[in-house]
Amino acid sequence: MKNNYPETRTIDQIDEMFGVKVADPFRWLEADIREDADVAAWVAAQNEITSEYLNTLECRAGIQQRLKTLWNYEKFTLPVKRQSRIFFGHNSGLQNQFSLFVQDNEDEPRLLLDPNGWSEDGAAALADYKPAPDGGLVAYQVQESGSDWRTIRIINAGSGENLPDTLDGVKFSGVSWAKDGSGFFYSRYPQPEDGEAHQAINHNQAVYFHHIGDDQSKDRKVYARPDFPEHGFAATVSSDGETLVITVWKGTDDKYEVVLIDLAKPSLEPVALVKGFETAISYIATAEGRHYFLTDKNAQKGRIVSTPVSHPGSEWAEVVAETDSAIAAANIVGNRLFIHYMEDVKSAVRMYALDGAPIGEVALPGIGAAGGFTGEPGDAETFFSFESFNQPPTLYRLHVATGEREVFRRPDAPFDPALYTVRQVFYPTRDGTSIPMFLAHRKDIDLSRGAPTLLYGYGGFNVSVPPAFSVTRLQWMEMGGVYASVNLRGGGEYGKAWHDAGRLLNKQNVFDDFIAAGEYLIGEGVTSKEQLAAFGGSNGGLLVGAVVNQRPDLFAAAIPAVGVMDMLRFHQFTAGRFWIDDYGNPDEETHFANLHAYSPYHNIQSGRDYPAILVTTADTDDRVVPGHSFKYAAALQAADIGDAPHLIRVETRAGHGAGKPTGKIIEEYADMWAFLAEHTGLAPQLG
């Protein structure tokens, strides 16, 4: 395969960093594909040869057709209730994007927003929505081509009429309505210069209030810190409508400041409730004269605290103490605390009174992942979802006072969950730490000789990987493969210490955990080196690139998706500077040495045989810019690493993943599964 790759020119780019000379011969591939003709030509040539190769895989067309069949069932998103109106997302099956429906009382749901008509190729998406407190208006965010930049618009939920209000420059922001529905708070950045939207670093975010009917130019700036341009802000109106709670962040680490603004007296100076970016703290709700927060201060797995509204910060009371399980989320609905715990990665939800007295546990349908339980302190009901690797999300309505639940929406999926088994195992990693991993596969698979196995991991940014459902994962299992999802250190499954054990100078632990997972699967006879594939996206793409460099002999195939591959320059593009919290700063000597030691782009081992690799990215990814994958793929193809294919697939008019049209997802996964089947020996069973 090696001699068939398109020719990629190199440049004489050598940087000296802390006495180390670092070659970067493919830096020219960092240029924006929309602005640089040479990069665009390189991408076109790479896509052509990748397409030619994928066209030779006989199982590809059958996989794509079967995936369409598996995908084609009615799906719903968690409902949001405002007064007598219930809002929820809906997809009839193969629609490119979810639509927004509204239901008045017990009337039949009606279509409110259908993004499937917003663009010819389905790449315009409804990224988020927030109904006003009375349910009359809905502020919604439009996303184009998967970009993190959003436009906010407003629709009347009763008439279906769009208001003329259009707000641009929105990125990394939600919407929080004033209690009277007169407008809402949001955050925005200054508009980027022409041609810089997809690569420039973002600074100087500020909080604004938009009054309904006004032009955006009239929006009132509520809070900003020009003295700290790297700070970002998430503004939330308190449950009682009296206070604006601003959570201040400066990176991806869960360490925040909290600022309060009295909405009845906006001329008063903001109150700095929490200073110093020392702990994780997030606002839950305001009830019975107290603000409630979730924090990890003096509690690495989380606890609930409160402070009086009348004199915030004058005293703090512990409401629910830390337990042996990490808190994933907390909400107050119907004057009850709903706390979602991670118990060995599985969901458990417990209810407490506002004084912390235990009330009981929510009866979940089984072992899996729950979500939801949102609402207001005065609401009588809430909604939640429940899912597992073999079970798509079912939505439930929960009556707070009684604890009784009823099905709100249950999917009628074209497969039988009972045909699959899910189990959890624990294995020792290199330093002896016990690591959890889920294994899911068809019950009728004979594992006595091992089976093609897809090992998935993430391991970073305090992100937990629960046993959640995915049509694509289910197809891998239906085809006869084992799906292994490992909960690596660096995630949030066991609280702050688990996260810290896999970040900064401890990042190698993540790679060791993943490698140990592969060795465990082989040692237990689940699979073999000739049948094992590695898969991960974003930070997980970095993971795959790093472990393949360190143990190319362990895997038959690998797919690093939208990965962070150049660990010495990631902080120079878009959101990359935020990741310093997890990776470290390449401009500091200690972190440079650590990052340089595992950076996928810089550590490809010529002279060793590598597994088959399919790199995937997208041309409008402005989260992890595609230059990471371009440079990594070029370096793979230039290295002497054996005859297995080392290809890159570049999606067009798509971003980091969010908002990607269903049609593009099906095509991408059909390509990936066919590639992995070819190189792990999987003979796909297609229905």
Side-chain angles (χ1 to χ4, degrees):
M1 184 76 204
K2 181 177 177 61
N3 293 331
N4 294 330
Y5 298 130
E7 184 176 350
T8 301
R9 67 179 172 90
T10 60
I11 60 174
D12 187 20
Q13 177 69 49
I14 297 178
D15 300 320
E16 184 163 339
M17 304 178 71
F18 305 105
V20 178
K21 291 184 177 181
V22 181
D24 191 0
F26 302 110
R27 184 173 294 181
W28 64 276
L29 286 170
E30 291 178 351
D32 191 333
I33 187 175
R34 289 163 299 277
E35 305 292 331
D36 191 292
D38 289 343
V39 175
W42 182 87
V43 169
Q46 292 287 339
N47 272 344
E48 182 178 0
I49 193 171
T50 298
S51 180
E52 289 175 357
Y53 177 82
L54 293 172
N55 285 337
T56 69
L57 305 180
E58 295 181 0
C59 63
R60 179 187 180 206
I63 291 174
Q64 182 170 334
Q65 186 55 49
R66 179 57 182 165
L67 186 51
K68 285 183 67 175
T69 300
L70 290 172
W71 206 289
N72 193 14
Y73 67 92
E74 198 173 20
K75 306 171 191 70
F76 306 89
T77 66
L78 270 167
V80 174
K81 188 172 184 180
R82 292 292 184 270
Q83 302 295 338
S84 61
R85 282 183 171 146
I86 297 174
F87 301 84
F88 59 88
H90 172 268
N91 191 304
S92 62
L94 292 173
Q95 290 176 293
N96 275 321
Q97 303 292 345
F98 274 75
S99 300
L100 180 63
F101 276 71
V102 60
Q103 180 176 332
D104 297 288
N105 293 311
E106 298 304 318
D107 294 346
E108 285 296 309
R110 53 188 170 83
L111 179 64
L112 186 60
L113 285 168
D114 184 5
N116 291 289
W118 293 352
S119 65
E120 290 186 6
D121 62 356
L126 174 62
D128 195 13
Y129 71 93
K130 191 70 174 288
D134 65 356
L137 298 176
V138 179
Y140 63 96
Q141 298 191 28
V142 179
Q143 178 185 35
E144 290 280 353
S145 303
S147 172
D148 282 332
W149 291 102
R150 311 287 168 83
T151 298
I152 298 177
R153 296 187 177 128
I154 305 167
I155 191 170
N156 186 303
S159 67
E161 177 186 2
N162 269 294
L163 278 60
D165 309 50
T166 301
L167 313 184
D168 295 315
V170 181
K171 190 176 188 181
F172 307 138
S173 174
V175 162
S176 190
W177 285 86
K179 206 67 175 177
D180 62 2
S182 61
F184 53 79
F185 297 89
Y186 70 103
S187 302
R188 77 171 191 247
Y189 288 100
Q191 285 285 5
E193 299 293 329
D194 289 344
E196 295 186 356
H198 291 91
Q199 290 204 324
I201 295 175
N202 306 128
H203 283 118
N204 294 304
Q205 193 183 48
V207 178
Y208 290 83
F209 180 78
H210 175 73
H211 189 276
I212 302 303
D214 283 353
D215 186 83
Q216 186 178 15
S217 61
K218 296 182 179 179
D219 289 357
R220 174 169 55 91
K221 184 182 291 187
V222 176
Y223 190 78
R225 291 299 303 268
D227 49 334
F228 293 104
E230 72 276 11
H231 287 186
F233 312 101
T236 303
V237 176
S238 62
S239 309
D240 60 4
E242 301 297 323
T243 305
L244 186 66
V245 183
I246 300 176
T247 302
V248 186
W249 52 274
K250 60 178 181 178
T252 54
D253 198 10
D254 291 329
K255 293 180 180 179
Y256 308 111
E257 294 186 338
V258 177
V259 174
L260 306 180
I261 294 177
D262 188 336
L263 293 177
K265 302 174 182 177
S267 60
L268 295 179
E269 284 294 312
V271 174
L273 181 66
V274 178
K275 302 178 182 179
F277 298 103
E278 296 177 351
T279 61
I281 184 162
S282 58
Y283 173 71
I284 300 172
T286 301
E288 297 187 354
R290 299 187 73 86
H291 296 307
Y292 287 78
F293 291 86
L294 166 62
T295 183
D296 69 357
K297 184 176 183 179
N298 301 323
Q300 292 205 352
K301 294 184 178 179
R303 64 183 179 131
I304 310 300
V305 297
S306 70
T307 189
V309 172
S310 56
H311 296 90
S314 60
E315 57 96 359
W316 290 90
E318 181 173 85
V319 181
V320 178
E322 180 184 19
T323 71
D324 291 336
S325 299
I327 297 177
N331 299 288
I332 293 178
V333 185
N335 285 333
R336 290 189 179 183
L337 265 166
F338 287 81
I339 304 181
H340 179 189
Y341 290 95
M342 299 283 283
E343 295 186 343
D344 281 332
V345 196
K346 302 175 289 290
S347 289
V349 180
R350 302 190 184 102
M351 295 180 292
Y352 298 83
L354 293 184
D355 62 1
I359 294 175
E361 189 162 331
V362 176
L364 298 177
I367 296 174
F373 301 99
T374 60
E376 296 295 324
D379 291 349
E381 62 183 14
T382 186
F383 297 86
F384 72 93
S385 66
F386 185 82
E387 61 190 296
S388 189
F389 288 121
N390 62 339
Q391 179 64 60
T394 295
L395 306 183
Y396 295 88
R397 186 198 305 255
L398 180 71
H399 300 277
V400 176
T402 65
E404 296 178 355
R405 72 166 196 257
E406 60 194 54
V407 173
F408 178 73
R409 294 287 187 276
R410 188 190 302 277
D412 184 16
F415 51 84
D416 184 359
L419 297 178
Y420 301 88
T421 181
V422 179
R423 61 189 173 100
Q424 188 180 38
V425 299
F426 293 82
Y427 66 90
T429 189
R430 183 176 182 177
D431 63 7
T433 301
S434 182
I435 308 295
M437 176 166 56
F438 288 100
L439 302 179
H441 55 82
R442 290 170 56 137
K443 290 179 178 177
D444 61 357
I445 286 181
D446 180 8
L447 290 180
S448 63
R449 296 183 180 179
T453 297
L454 181 60
L455 179 59
Y456 173 83
Y458 187 79
F461 298 97
N462 204 35
V463 172
S464 300
V465 182
F469 179 78
S470 161
V471 178
T472 55
R473 288 194 286 260
L474 183 117
Q475 187 190 28
W476 175 261
M477 294 186 286
E478 183 190 71
M479 292 193 307
V482 175
Y483 181 76
S485 178
V486 56
N487 297 103
L488 307 165
R489 286 177 288 183
E493 290 86 348
Y494 293 97
K496 184 177 185 297
W498 192 258
H499 175 212
D500 288 344
R503 71 186 186 105
L504 300 176
L505 300 181
N506 295 323
K507 188 66 176 177
Q508 182 59 41
N509 285 339
V510 182
F511 312 140
D512 290 343
D513 293 353
F514 194 84
I515 289 168
E519 293 174 333
Y520 172 86
L521 292 169
I522 293 168
E524 291 294 309
V526 174
T527 191
S528 66
K529 292 181 179 180
E530 294 74 27
Q531 298 171 305
L532 181 61
F535 179 39
S538 193
N539 174 72
L542 156 64
L543 164 70
V544 172
V547 299
V548 166
N549 281 340
Q550 294 178 16
R551 286 294 306 276
D553 61 302
L554 189 60
F555 307 98
I559 296 183
V562 293
V564 187
M565 300 313 217
D566 184 342
M567 300 308 297
L568 303 185
R569 289 176 57 79
F570 70 85
H571 59 319
Q572 300 190 28
F573 301 95
T574 60
R577 67 178 178 84
F578 303 141
W579 313 334
I580 286 174
D581 288 341
D582 232 62
Y583 297 146
N585 190 342
D587 295 332
E588 297 177 6
E589 186 170 4
T590 300
H591 290 296
F592 161 77
N594 184 54
L595 293 163
H596 188 223
Y598 70 76
S599 177
Y601 173 55
H602 298 95
N603 286 280
I604 296 168
Q605 300 186 56
S606 277
R608 297 193 65 181
D609 286 345
Y610 268 48
I613 300 174
L614 178 62
V615 183
T616 67
T617 187
D619 61 355
T620 52
D621 187 346
D622 53 5
R623 182 79 58 84
V624 179
V625 294
H628 280 279
S629 293
F630 295 171
K631 291 168 62 175
Y632 171 68
L636 285 174
Q637 293 175 0
D640 178 17
I641 53 175
D643 295 330
H646 304 123
L647 304 169
I648 183 169
R649 183 188 190 279
V650 184
E651 187 62 84
T652 57
R653 273 183 54 78
H656 199 56
K660 184 178 291 186
T662 297
K664 287 183 182 290
I665 296 173
I666 290 173
E667 291 174 358
E668 180 179 37
Y669 272 89
D671 289 349
M672 293 194 300
W673 285 177
F675 184 86
L676 294 182
E678 174 73 11
H679 295 285
T680 60
L682 177 64
Q685 302 176 47
L686 300 175

Coordinates of all heavy atoms in Angstrom, one line a residue, residues 227-288:
D227 N -9.6 42.3 31.8 CA -8.3 42.1 32.4 C -7.9 40.6 32.4 O -6.7 40.3 32.6 CB -8.3 42.6 33.8 CG -9.4 42.2 34.7 OD1 -10.5 41.8 34.1 OD2 -9.3 42.1 35.9
F228 N -8.8 39.7 32.2 CA -8.6 38.3 32.0 C -9.2 37.8 30.8 O -10.3 37.2 30.8 CB -9.1 37.5 33.3 CG -8.3 37.9 34.5 CD1 -8.9 38.7 35.5 CD2 -7.1 37.4 34.8 CE1 -8.2 39.0 36.7 CE2 -6.4 37.6 35.9 CZ -7.0 38.5 36.9
P229 N -8.7 38.1 29.6 CA -9.3 37.7 28.3 C -9.6 36.3 28.1 O -10.4 35.9 27.3 CB -8.4 38.3 27.3 CG -7.0 38.4 28.0 CD -7.4 38.7 29.4
E230 N -8.8 35.4 28.9 CA -9.0 34.0 28.7 C -10.2 33.4 29.5 O -10.5 32.2 29.3 CB -7.7 33.2 29.1 CG -7.5 33.2 30.6 CD -6.8 34.4 31.2 OE1 -6.7 35.4 30.4 OE2 -6.3 34.4 32.3
H231 N -10.8 34.2 30.3 CA -11.9 33.7 31.1 C -13.2 33.6 30.2 O -13.5 34.3 29.3 CB -12.2 34.7 32.3 CG -11.2 34.6 33.4 ND1 -11.4 35.3 34.6 CD2 -10.0 33.9 33.5 CE1 -10.3 35.0 35.3 NE2 -9.5 34.2 34.7
G232 N -14.0 32.5 30.6 CA -15.3 32.3 29.9 C -16.4 32.3 31.0 O -16.1 32.1 32.2
F233 N -17.6 32.5 30.6 CA -18.7 32.7 31.6 C -20.0 31.9 31.2 O -20.4 31.9 30.0 CB -19.1 34.2 31.7 CG -17.9 35.1 31.8 CD1 -17.3 35.8 30.7 CD2 -17.2 35.2 33.1 CE1 -16.2 36.6 30.9 CE2 -16.1 36.0 33.2 CZ -15.6 36.7 32.1
A234 N -20.5 31.2 32.1 CA -21.8 30.6 32.0 C -22.8 31.2 32.9 O -22.6 31.2 34.2 CB -21.7 29.1 32.3
A235 N -23.8 31.9 32.4 CA -24.8 32.7 33.2 C -26.1 31.9 33.4 O -26.7 31.4 32.4 CB -25.0 34.0 32.6
T236 N -26.6 31.8 34.6 CA -27.8 31.1 34.9 C -28.6 32.0 35.9 O -28.2 32.4 36.9 CB -27.5 29.8 35.6 OG1 -26.7 29.0 34.8 CG2 -28.8 29.0 35.9
V237 N -29.9 32.2 35.5 CA -30.8 32.9 36.4 C -31.3 31.9 37.5 O -31.7 30.8 37.2 CB -32.0 33.4 35.6 CG1 -33.1 34.1 36.5 CG2 -31.6 34.4 34.5
S238 N -31.2 32.4 38.7 CA -31.6 31.5 39.8 C -33.0 31.1 39.7 O -33.8 31.7 39.1 CB -31.3 32.2 41.2 OG -32.1 33.4 41.3
S239 N -33.4 30.0 40.4 CA -34.7 29.5 40.4 C -35.8 30.5 40.8 O -36.9 30.4 40.3 CB -34.8 28.2 41.3 OG -33.8 27.3 41.0
D240 N -35.4 31.3 41.7 CA -36.4 32.4 42.2 C -36.4 33.6 41.3 O -37.2 34.5 41.5 CB -36.1 32.7 43.6 CG -34.7 33.3 43.9 OD1 -34.0 33.5 42.9 OD2 -34.4 33.6 45.0
G241 N -35.5 33.6 40.3 CA -35.4 34.8 39.4 C -34.8 36.0 39.9 O -34.7 37.0 39.2
E242 N -34.2 36.0 41.1 CA -33.7 37.2 41.7 C -32.2 37.4 41.5 O -31.7 38.5 41.7 CB -33.9 37.1 43.2 CG -35.4 37.0 43.6 CD -36.2 38.2 43.2 OE1 -35.7 39.3 43.2 OE2 -37.4 38.0 42.7
T243 N -31.5 36.3 41.1 CA -30.0 36.4 41.1 C -29.5 35.8 39.8 O -30.0 34.8 39.3 CB -29.4 35.6 42.3 OG1 -29.9 36.1 43.5 CG2 -27.9 35.7 42.3
L244 N -28.5 36.5 39.2 CA -27.8 35.9 38.1 C -26.5 35.2 38.6 O -25.6 35.9 39.2 CB -27.4 36.9 37.0 CG -26.8 36.4 35.7 CD1 -27.8 35.6 35.0 CD2 -26.2 37.5 34.9
V245 N -26.4 33.9 38.5 CA -25.3 33.1 38.9 C -24.4 32.9 37.7 O -24.7 32.3 36.8 CB -25.7 31.8 39.5 CG1 -24.5 31.0 40.0 CG2 -26.8 31.9 40.6
I246 N -23.2 33.5 37.8 CA -22.2 33.4 36.7 C -21.0 32.5 37.2 O -20.3 32.8 38.1 CB -21.6 34.8 36.4 CG1 -22.8 35.7 35.9 CG2 -20.6 34.7 35.3 CD1 -22.3 37.1 35.6
T247 N -20.9 31.4 36.5 CA -19.8 30.5 36.7 C -18.7 30.9 35.8 O -18.8 30.9 34.5 CB -20.2 29.0 36.4 OG1 -21.3 28.7 37.3 CG2 -19.1 28.1 36.7
V248 N -17.5 31.2 36.3 CA -16.4 31.6 35.6 C -15.4 30.5 35.4 O -15.0 29.8 36.3 CB -15.6 32.8 36.3 CG1 -14.5 33.4 35.4 CG2 -16.6 33.9 36.7
W249 N -15.0 30.3 34.1 CA -14.1 29.2 33.8 C -12.9 29.7 32.9 O -13.1 30.8 32.3 CB -14.8 28.0 33.1 CG -15.6 28.5 31.9 CD1 -16.9 28.9 31.9 CD2 -15.2 28.5 30.5 NE1 -17.3 29.2 30.6 CE2 -16.2 29.0 29.8 CE3 -14.0 28.2 29.9 CZ2 -16.2 29.1 28.4 CZ3 -13.9 28.3 28.5 CH2 -15.0 28.8 27.8
K250 N -11.8 29.0 32.9 CA -10.7 29.4 32.1 C -10.1 28.3 31.3 O -9.0 28.4 30.7 CB -9.7 30.2 32.9 CG -9.0 29.4 34.0 CD -7.9 30.2 34.7 CE -7.2 29.4 35.8 NZ -6.2 30.2 36.5
G251 N -10.6 27.1 31.5 CA -10.1 25.9 30.8 C -11.1 24.8 30.9 O -12.3 25.0 31.2
T252 N -10.6 23.6 30.7 CA -11.5 22.4 30.8 C -11.5 21.8 32.2 O -12.3 20.9 32.5 CB -11.0 21.3 29.8 OG1 -9.6 21.0 30.0 CG2 -11.2 21.8 28.4
D253 N -10.6 22.2 33.0 CA -10.6 21.6 34.4 C -11.8 22.1 35.2 O -12.2 23.3 35.0 CB -9.3 22.1 35.1 CG -9.0 21.2 36.3 OD1 -9.7 20.2 36.5 OD2 -8.1 21.6 37.1
D254 N -12.3 21.3 36.0 CA -13.5 21.6 36.7 C -13.2 22.4 38.0 O -13.4 22.0 39.1 CB -14.3 20.4 37.2 CG -14.9 19.7 36.0 OD1 -15.3 20.3 35.0 OD2 -15.0 18.4 36.0
K255 N -12.6 23.6 37.7 CA -12.2 24.5 38.8 C -12.8 25.9 38.4 O -12.4 26.4 37.3 CB -10.7 24.6 39.1 CG -10.2 23.3 39.6 CD -8.7 23.4 39.9 CE -8.1 22.1 40.4 NZ -6.6 22.2 40.6
Y256 N -13.6 26.4 39.2 CA -14.4 27.6 38.8 C -14.4 28.7 39.9 O -14.1 28.5 41.1 CB -15.9 27.2 38.5 CG -16.0 26.1 37.6 CD1 -16.5 24.9 38.0 CD2 -15.7 26.2 36.2 CE1 -16.7 23.8 37.1 CE2 -15.8 25.2 35.3 CZ -16.3 24.0 35.8 OH -16.5 22.9 34.9
E257 N -14.7 29.9 39.4 CA -15.1 31.0 40.3 C -16.6 31.2 40.1 O -17.2 30.8 39.1 CB -14.4 32.3 40.0 CG -12.9 32.2 40.3 CD -12.2 33.5 40.2 OE1 -12.7 34.4 39.4 OE2 -11.1 33.7 40.8
V258 N -17.3 31.7 41.1 CA -18.7 32.0 41.0 C -19.0 33.4 41.4 O -18.5 33.9 42.5 CB -19.6 31.1 41.9 CG1 -21.0 31.4 41.8 CG2 -19.3 29.6 41.5
V259 N -19.7 34.2 40.6 CA -20.0 35.6 40.8 C -21.6 35.7 40.8 O -22.3 35.1 40.0 CB -19.4 36.4 39.7 CG1 -19.9 37.9 39.8 CG2 -17.9 36.4 39.7
L260 N -22.1 36.5 41.7 CA -23.6 36.7 41.8 C -23.9 38.1 41.5 O -23.2 39.1 42.0 CB -24.1 36.3 43.2 CG -23.7 34.9 43.8 CD1 -24.3 34.8 45.2 CD2 -24.3 33.9 42.8
I261 N -24.9 38.3 40.7 CA -25.4 39.7 40.4 C -26.9 39.7 40.8 O -27.7 38.9 40.5 CB -25.3 40.0 38.9 CG1 -23.8 40.1 38.5 CG2 -26.0 41.3 38.6 CD1 -23.6 40.3 37.0
D262 N -27.2 40.7 41.7 CA -28.6 40.9 42.1 C -29.4 41.5 41.0 O -29.2 42.7 40.6 CB -28.6 41.9 43.3 CG -29.9 42.0 44.0 OD1 -31.0 41.7 43.3 OD2 -30.0 42.3 45.2
L263 N -30.3 40.8 40.4 CA -31.1 41.2 39.3 C -32.1 42.3 39.6 O -32.5 43.1 38.8 CB -31.8 40.1 38.6 CG -30.9 39.0 37.9 CD1 -31.7 37.9 37.4 CD2 -30.0 39.7 36.8
A264 N -32.5 42.4 40.9 CA -33.4 43.5 41.4 C -32.6 44.8 41.5 O -33.2 45.9 41.5 CB -34.1 43.1 42.7
K265 N -31.3 44.7 41.7 CA -30.5 45.9 41.9 C -29.2 45.7 41.1 O -28.1 45.6 41.6 CB -30.1 46.1 43.4 CG -31.3 46.2 44.3 CD -30.9 46.2 45.8 CE -32.1 46.3 46.7 NZ -31.7 46.2 48.1
P266 N -29.3 45.8 39.8 CA -28.2 45.5 38.9 C -27.1 46.5 39.0 O -26.0 46.3 38.5 CB -28.8 45.5 37.5 CG -30.1 46.3 37.6 CD -30.6 46.0 39.0
S267 N -27.4 47.7 39.6 CA -26.3 48.7 39.8 C -25.3 48.3 40.9 O -24.2 48.9 40.9 CB -26.9 50.0 40.1 OG -27.7 50.0 41.3
L268 N -25.7 47.4 41.7 CA -24.7 47.0 42.8 C -23.6 46.2 42.2 O -23.7 45.6 41.1 CB -25.5 46.1 43.8 CG -26.6 46.7 44.6 CD1 -27.2 45.7 45.6 CD2 -26.0 47.9 45.4
E269 N -22.5 46.2 42.9 CA -21.3 45.5 42.4 C -21.6 44.0 42.5 O -22.2 43.5 43.4 CB -20.1 45.8 43.3 CG -19.5 47.2 43.0 CD -18.8 47.3 41.7 OE1 -18.1 46.3 41.3 OE2 -19.1 48.2 40.9
P270 N -21.1 43.2 41.5 CA -21.2 41.8 41.6 C -20.5 41.2 42.8 O -19.5 41.8 43.3 CB -20.5 41.3 40.3 CG -20.5 42.5 39.4 CD -20.4 43.7 40.2
V271 N -21.1 40.2 43.4 CA -20.6 39.5 44.6 C -19.7 38.3 44.2 O -20.2 37.4 43.5 CB -21.7 39.1 45.5 CG1 -21.1 38.3 46.7 CG2 -22.5 40.3 46.0
A272 N -18.5 38.4 44.5 CA -17.6 37.2 44.3 C -17.8 36.2 45.3 O -17.3 36.2 46.4 CB -16.1 37.7 44.2
L273 N -18.6 35.2 45.0 CA -19.0 34.1 46.0 C -17.9 33.1 46.2 O -17.6 32.7 47.3 CB -20.3 33.4 45.6 CG -20.8 32.3 46.5 CD1 -21.2 33.0 47.8 CD2 -22.0 31.6 45.8
V274 N -17.3 32.7 45.1 CA -16.2 31.7 45.2 C -15.0 32.2 44.3 O -15.2 32.5 43.1 CB -16.6 30.3 44.6 CG1 -15.5 29.3 44.7 CG2 -17.8 29.8 45.4
K275 N -13.9 32.3 44.9 CA -12.7 32.9 44.2 C -11.6 31.8 44.1 O -11.5 30.9 44.8 CB -12.1 34.1 45.0 CG -13.1 35.2 45.3 CD -12.4 36.3 46.1 CE -13.3 37.4 46.4 NZ -12.7 38.5 47.3
G276 N -10.7 32.0 43.1 CA -9.5 31.3 43.0 C -9.3 30.1 42.2 O -8.2 29.6 42.1
F277 N -10.4 29.7 41.5 CA -10.3 28.5 40.6 C -9.6 27.3 41.3 O -8.7 26.7 40.8 CB -9.5 28.8 39.3 CG -10.1 29.9 38.5 CD1 -9.7 31.2 38.5 CD2 -11.2 29.6 37.7 CE1 -10.2 32.2 37.7 CE2 -11.8 30.5 36.9 CZ -11.3 31.8 36.9
E278 N -10.1 27.1 42.5 CA -9.4 26.0 43.4 C -10.3 24.7 43.4 O -9.7 23.7 43.7 CB -9.2 26.5 44.8 CG -8.2 27.7 44.8 CD -8.0 28.2 46.2 OE1 -8.8 27.8 47.1 OE2 -7.1 29.1 46.5
T279 N -11.6 24.8 43.2 CA -12.4 23.6 43.4 C -13.5 23.6 42.3 O -13.8 24.6 41.6 CB -13.1 23.6 44.7 OG1 -14.0 24.8 44.8 CG2 -12.1 23.6 45.9
A280 N -14.1 22.4 42.1 CA -15.2 22.3 41.2 C -16.5 22.7 42.0 O -16.7 22.3 43.2 CB -15.4 20.9 40.8
I281 N -17.3 23.6 41.5 CA -18.5 24.0 42.1 C -19.5 24.4 41.0 O -19.1 25.1 40.0 CB -18.3 25.2 43.1 CG1 -19.6 25.5 43.8 CG2 -17.7 26.4 42.4 CD1 -19.4 26.3 45.1
S282 N -20.7 23.9 41.1 CA -21.7 24.1 40.1 C -23.0 24.4 40.8 O -23.4 23.7 41.7 CB -21.8 23.0 39.1 OG -22.2 21.8 39.8
Y283 N -23.7 25.4 40.3 CA -25.0 25.8 40.8 C -26.1 24.8 40.5 O -26.1 24.3 39.4 CB -25.4 27.2 40.2 CG -26.8 27.6 40.6 CD1 -27.1 28.1 41.9 CD2 -27.8 27.7 39.6 CE1 -28.4 28.5 42.2 CE2 -29.1 28.1 39.9 CZ -29.4 28.5 41.2 OH -30.6 29.0 41.6
I284 N -26.9 24.4 41.5 CA -28.0 23.5 41.3 C -29.3 24.2 41.2 O -30.0 24.1 40.1 CB -28.0 22.5 42.4 CG1 -26.7 21.7 42.6 CG2 -29.2 21.5 42.3 CD1 -26.7 20.8 43.8
A285 N -29.7 24.9 42.2 CA -31.0 25.6 42.2 C -31.1 26.5 43.5 O -30.2 26.4 44.4 CB -32.1 24.6 42.2
T286 N -32.1 27.3 43.5 CA -32.4 28.1 44.7 C -33.8 27.7 45.3 O -34.7 27.6 44.5 CB -32.4 29.6 44.4 OG1 -31.1 29.9 43.9 CG2 -32.7 30.4 45.6
A287 N -33.8 27.3 46.5 CA -35.1 26.9 47.2 C -35.0 27.2 48.6 O -34.0 27.1 49.3 CB -35.3 25.4 46.9
E288 N -36.2 27.6 49.2 CA -36.4 27.9 50.6 C -35.3 28.8 51.1 O -34.8 28.6 52.2 CB -36.5 26.6 51.4 CG -37.7 25.7 51.0 CD -37.8 24.5 51.8 OE1 -37.0 24.2 52.7 OE2 -38.8 23.8 51.7

